[in-house]
Each structure stands twice: as structure tokens, then as C-alpha cells.
Amino acid sequence: MNHQSVLIIDFGGQYNQLIARRVRECNVYCELKPYTITLEEIKAFDPIGIIFTGGPRSVYDPSAPHVDPAIFDLGVPILGICYGCQLMAYTLGGSVTAAQADTAREYGKTHTYFNTDCKLFKGLPTESVTWMSHGDYMERIPDSFRLAAHSDGCPTAAICDEEKGFYGVQFHPEVNHTEYGQQMLRNFLYEICHANGDWTMGDYMRSSITAIREKVGDGKVLLALSGGVDSSVAAALLAEAVGSQLTCVFVDHGLMRLNEGDEVEAAFAKWPIRFIRVDAEQRFLSKLAGVSEPERKRKIIGEEFIRVFEEEAKKIGQVDYLVQGTIYPDVVESGTGDAAVIKSHHNVGGLPDYVDFKEILEPLRLLFKDEVRQLGRELKLPEYLVMRQPFPGPGLAIRVLGDVTKEKLDTLRQADFIFRDEIAKAHLEGTMNQYFAVLTNMRSVGVMGDGRTYDYTLALRSVTTTDFMTADWARIPYDVLDAISVRIVNEVSGINRIVYDITSKPPATIEWE
Ligand code: XMP
């Protein structure tokens, strides 16, 4: 695929993926690469611009990450952010030092003053708020540079050598707290790197389709469809490219939300693909019967899923390509995970050992989630699939606490549907990132009509989050909660009490199991 590219060199800062997303939002393709990238690799990448990210170290630490100074002779514009800015200054002859408390050390929103004759700040007000997070500062800037911004505490908030196209900012333009951050990145890309904005999902879709056709030839392609956004968009892309050679296996484990299985099937009816929906509800329910321990449930579902998929794949015979819905954050994050296992996530991805195929195709591996959704729209997938909130692989089995039965699942499906319906009616979908109902295994006494009830308690869970690693509970207005509660107890038998989960993550997790 032939488009302009920006190279983002990663020095280990917390916002590095965000920089990449912001660049892509400006319709410029970019990739994030570790700082160990060699000069030869950089040349081969042929970037129109380079961005150095922030990072946790001090440039004068002996073990701090550095770059080959020859990078400054490539004739390519460079933007250094925070650590990246200090690294540029340090490498080119300036000096960086630990700020004394109360002087140039800054954390958080900071009033900053700009020289708007610097191309990076073109068209911006002369004062605005930036987001700072640095303990070191540039005491002396390199000779060829000039100051382009300062704050009350830091005289060197931004520097530039416009002749060479080198720019450095001490603050983080990529975070929303920096008022004009996106405009600064846009200026870097368009005013300084002369980007032509050739990264659009429409173009990406067309060039991917061509590339997939070339690669696959007349080979057979197999895809495990879960109904989630990533696998649905991957399926739609493959369907558009090589529809008649594609088989999608949709394992319906009976643990989906109301009508979800039918919606997924309907969305793919327009392509000439072979769509196999395996009705495996009975199999899953019998394996799950009497099991109440969450990790056991997850393992059983994960294993059964693979078994069902494997059986279907065997019926199809030899396939050439297996499609996985890997997306860019998975690629960037892979290899860094040494965190404790809190829950064993079941993903439809990890199947290669069980199926006989030649190669894996990962058509989304360069895309961020919002780009995947945009691609889905280009492929004319319905909005409810494209905007689907995350749904765990083990489905409703981990939202029915304790042992899982068909009856409990049906009760939960109805209640969960009402919850989502009322949120939609109140136009609140955009204010929360994930919301669902949980059927607890607690029963309590209630009164309905003139009679006593002894029924289940249903919990409502709704969170706001950017990365699902941490989350806050959503502040749903009381009158909306009231409408949901009244409808559920009236319309769903077996539930006589509704509670709202007001714990953040951590200490709780988003799902209850
Ligand atoms: P937790 O409950 O760990 O959830 O705070 C974080 C996010 O991950 C989703 N989740 C899963 N996704 N397979 C998935 O693909 C799983 O097994 C799984 N379990 C939890 C959860 O819905 C939330 O968005």
C-alpha cells in the first residue's frame, strides 16, 4: 500500500499509542516503533516525518534510551515530545537537567505562551493551556534552535530549528488537556512534513481488498466470527475481497444477548460467502451445568469453542488461510504482558494449533479500534454491529453469577434488553462505554400485588473508560435508573429487586466474573 508514513519512535511514555491515534486522525498513516530501530530500518521506512515520544527516563542517565545522531542528518522533519524533546536538545548540544522543585518541574495543566510565527503554532492563540508532565527541563537549548514557547515555570516549553525542520515541545500535544494539541500535530504534519492526507478508510479499504485478492489468489479462507466488532469487520473485508472463497464459522454458544445471533447472521446475508452458524447451545449448556466457579466457566467455554470450531473446520477440509481479527493495540502491546492473570480472557483468535491451514491473515493489524469501526462503515456493515460495545467471549455465562441455566439466561436476556432499550431512549449511549445487566445468585423477599415474592436480584453495571484497564461507574440520572427498574420488575418474571453497581475498576472489575 502506497501512502505517506510518519514514524513514531517509542521511548516508553504512557501516551505513545495516543500520539499514533492522533496522527491517524489527521489522515496521515503512522507506525510506532521501538527506539532500537536502526538507521537502515528508518531509511527503509521512508518517513515524511518522525516523532520522538515521551518516556520515563532522564536523558543524562547512563542507561537512558538514545537515537543514532545520524537520524538528524536524514533531512526528515522531527518533532520531539517531552523526553523526545529533551533527547533532541541533548543530542544536538543543549543541556538538560533535573528541575529544582518549585521552578521548571511541571505536572498537569499549565498556562503556556506561544510564538505563533513558529510553524508548529501557526494559527493558534498566543496563550493557552498545555498538559505538562516533566521533572527535567532544558537548561540550555542547542545553538541553532530558538525558543518557541514558555510557561510561567519553564522558560523552554517549546524549541525549534525551522531551517532543519526540528521541533520540540515539553508538553503533550496528544492529550486532550492540551487545548490546541491536535492543531499543533496537524501543523507538524501538514505545514512542516507537507503531508497530503492520503490515509482514509475508504482508500485503505480499496487497497486492502486489492492486496487480499493478490495474496489469496484462488485459495480457501476460513474465519471464526464471534459477532464482535473486530471479527465482523474482518469478515466483511474478506467477504468483499474474496467472498466466494470465504467460509465464516459463527459458533452460536447460546450465551449471546437477545436477538444477537440473528443480527450477526443477517448482516452477512448480502455477501456470497459460506456462512455456517453452528447451533451449539445445548453443548455449551450441558458442559456448564452445575458449574459456578467463574474461571472454570471461562475455561469450559474456551475449550468447547475450540472443539466446535475444529469440528466445523474438519468438515470444510484443507483451508489455505485462517483470518484473525488482531488489531494494532494488540500488536503494539504484545510481548509486554507480565501482569498477573485476573481473568483468563477467552478470545476467538487463538486457534491456529487446531486447524490445518497454511498461513494466517490479519487484515486489521495496522488499525486502531476507531479505524476498525470506520472501516466497518465503509463496508456498509450496520451501525449496531460497528458500534457494538465490547462483549466478553464467554458471553452471558459470566453475567449469570453461579450456575448457568437456560432459564436464567433468558431472564437475563430480557432484563439486559430493557436496560439497553431505556439507555437508547434516553440518548445516553454516548455517555458510557459499556453497560449491561448481571443476574446475581441472590434471592430476596419482595411484595407484588398482594403476594410475597422470593426472587432474584438483578445488578446494572455501566462504566466510562478509555482503555477498559481502569473504569469509573457511569452517573446515570436517577429518573433513567428508575424507569429501567420499574420496567424490569414489571416485565421480567423472576426478578424483584434491582441494584446499581457503584464501584470503579480497580478495585472491582468491569464484569462481575
Ligand atoms: P474486566 O471484567 O476484566 O473486563 O474489567 C475488561 C474488558 O474486557 C471484557 N472481557 C472480555 N473480553 N474475552 C473478551 O474478549 C473475555 O473473556 C473477556 N472478559 C472480559 C469486558 O467485557 C470488559 O470490556
Side-chain angles (χ1 to χ4, degrees):
M1 275 165 246
N2 251 340
H3 39 65
Q4 295 183 325
S5 299
V6 162
L7 174 65
I8 303 178
I9 301 190
D10 186 353
F11 292 100
Q14 336 165 29
Y15 306 122
N16 298 351
Q17 279 201 40
L18 200 52
I19 302 175
R21 279 174 51 190
R22 296 278 177 259
V23 170
R24 301 245 191 124
E25 280 165 18
C26 292
N27 298 114
V28 178
Y29 181 72
C30 63
E31 282 188 36
L32 200 57
K33 299 278 186 192
Y35 68 89
T36 47
I37 185 169
T38 64
L39 200 64
E40 289 315 307
E41 287 165 335
I42 296 174
K43 284 185 191 160
F45 190 86
D46 191 22
I48 59 162
I50 297 174
I51 297 178
F52 293 171
T53 75
R57 312 295 288 273
S58 290
V59 286
Y60 47 79
D61 275 357
S63 58
H66 283 270
V67 282
D68 184 337
I71 196 171
F72 296 103
D73 299 325
L74 292 175
V76 177
I78 300 178
L79 171 65
I81 295 176
C82 199
Y83 177 87
C85 170
Q86 294 168 3
L87 180 68
M88 176 153 64
Y90 182 81
T91 313
L92 295 175
S95 69
V96 175
T97 162
Q100 300 305 310
D102 76 346
T103 59
R105 169 191 301 190
E106 293 168 306
Y107 294 98
K109 289 185 179 173
T110 307
H111 215 85
T112 310
Y113 308 88
F114 300 97
N115 297 347
T116 51
D117 61 348
C118 167
K119 280 189 200 156
L120 196 62
F121 306 127
K122 187 177 157 186
L124 267 58
T126 51
E127 291 178 31
S128 63
V129 170
T130 65
W131 179 259
M132 298 272 189
S133 177
H134 63 105
D136 289 342
Y137 86 113
M138 293 173 286
E139 194 177 36
R140 189 165 51 77
I141 67 174
D143 290 341
S144 62
F145 279 69
R146 68 179 170 105
L147 288 175
H150 67 277
S151 65
D152 294 328
C154 178
T156 51
I159 57 172
C160 62
D161 174 346
E162 298 218 84
E163 203 170 308
K164 295 226 169 69
F166 298 155
Y167 295 79
V169 290
Q170 193 53 84
F171 51 84
H172 289 271
E174 69 278 16
V175 305
N176 283 332
H177 305 298
T178 296
E179 274 178 334
Y180 292 91
Q182 185 71 353
Q183 183 61 38
M184 296 172 197
L185 290 173
R186 180 168 281 280
N187 281 349
F188 177 67
L189 299 167
Y190 286 88
E191 299 291 327
I192 297 160
C193 303
H194 306 296
N196 60 16
D198 63 1
W199 177 250
T200 65
M201 277 304 117
D203 288 343
Y204 179 78
M205 176 186 75
R206 286 182 284 278
S207 53
S208 302
I209 289 172
T210 312
I212 291 168
R213 285 187 185 141
E214 271 169 24
K215 165 123 205 160
V216 167
D218 55 8
K220 275 190 179 176
V221 184
L222 177 64
L223 183 144
L225 189 64
S226 70
V229 179
D230 302 340
S231 71
S232 298
V233 174
L237 186 64
L238 265 297
E240 196 66 40
V242 289
S244 58
Q245 293 146 253
L246 174 67
T247 304
C248 286
V249 176
F250 170 40
V251 177
D252 186 349
H253 50 22
L255 306 168
M256 308 280 273
R257 288 167 294 195
L258 197 68
N259 302 332
E260 205 162 31
D262 296 342
E263 286 173 2
V264 171
E265 189 168 354
F268 288 92
K270 65 176 174 225
W271 281 289
I273 61 174
R274 187 163 162 212
F275 188 96
I276 300 175
R277 177 169 174 179
V278 191
D279 178 5
E281 183 183 40
Q282 277 312 320
R283 282 179 72 153
F284 280 85
L285 288 186
S286 64
K287 289 271 175 194
L288 285 168
V291 178
S292 52
E293 208 276 308
E295 277 300 286
R296 280 260 300 136
K297 287 192 206 173
R298 283 172 174 275
K299 293 250 155 60
I300 288 170
I301 295 165
E303 279 164 24
E304 195 60 13
F305 186 93
I306 288 168
R307 210 144 293 143
V308 176
F309 185 77
E310 184 186 19
E311 284 171 21
E312 290 306 315
K314 281 211 181 99
K315 288 185 206 158
I316 298 163
Q318 167 75 40
V319 292
D320 302 287
Y321 297 95
L322 182 74
V323 184
Q324 308 249 51
T326 320
I327 67 171
Y328 199 50
D330 309 332
V331 175
V332 175
E333 274 156 24
S334 66
T336 58
D338 52 359
V341 174
I342 308 291
K343 299 175 184 182
S344 47
H345 277 204
H346 150 87
N347 255 321
V348 192
L351 301 165
D353 292 354
Y354 303 85
V355 184
D356 197 13
F357 65 96
K358 282 202 288 212
E359 214 179 308
I360 292 182
L361 289 182
E362 295 178 310
L364 311 179
R365 70 177 278 120
L366 297 177
L367 305 185
F368 285 110
K369 193 81 175 186
D370 30 2
E371 294 177 309
V372 173
R373 295 192 202 279
Q374 194 49 41
L375 179 60
R377 288 193 186 100
E378 295 286 343
L379 289 157
K380 308 260 182 312
L381 276 178
E383 197 60 18
Y384 60 77
L385 262 192
V386 168
M387 285 314 290
R388 177 153 285 174
Q389 45 173 316
F391 187 63
L396 298 183
I398 56 163
R399 293 180 182 169
V400 168
L401 305 191
D403 70 316
V404 180
T405 63
K406 167 108 169 97
E407 199 187 359
K408 286 183 184 175
L409 287 166
D410 285 338
T411 303
L412 176 60
R413 266 190 272 265
Q414 286 179 51
D416 183 73
F417 177 79
I418 293 171
F419 183 19
R420 286 186 285 134
D421 192 41
E422 288 297 319
I423 292 294
K425 281 188 189 149
H427 303 292
L428 290 175
E429 298 111 314
T431 65
M432 47 192 88
N433 303 97
Q434 196 173 5
Y435 50 103
F436 53 87
V438 175
L439 186 66
T440 76
N441 46 2
M442 187 188 83
R443 292 204 290 169
S444 69
V445 175
V447 54
M448 249 187 172
D450 292 326
R452 175 188 191 270
T453 57
Y454 185 58
D455 284 333
Y456 285 106
T457 295
L458 184 96
L460 303 175
R461 178 69 159 151
S462 172
V463 295
T464 57
T465 172
T466 48
D467 55 8
F468 297 89
M469 310 286 282
T470 61
D472 195 8
W473 57 278
R475 274 37 171 194
I476 299 180
Y478 283 167
D479 55 340
V480 178
L481 283 173
D482 185 52
I484 297 164
S485 167
V486 169
R487 256 191 85 187
I488 293 176
V489 285
N490 277 311
E491 293 178 31
V492 185
S493 61
I495 295 174
N496 67 354
R497 194 175 293 273
I498 312 282
V499 296
Y500 186 47
D501 181 348
I502 53 164
T503 21
S504 60
K505 172 185 179 177
T509 51
I510 296 175
E511 303 286 348
W512 279 36
E513 285 195 339

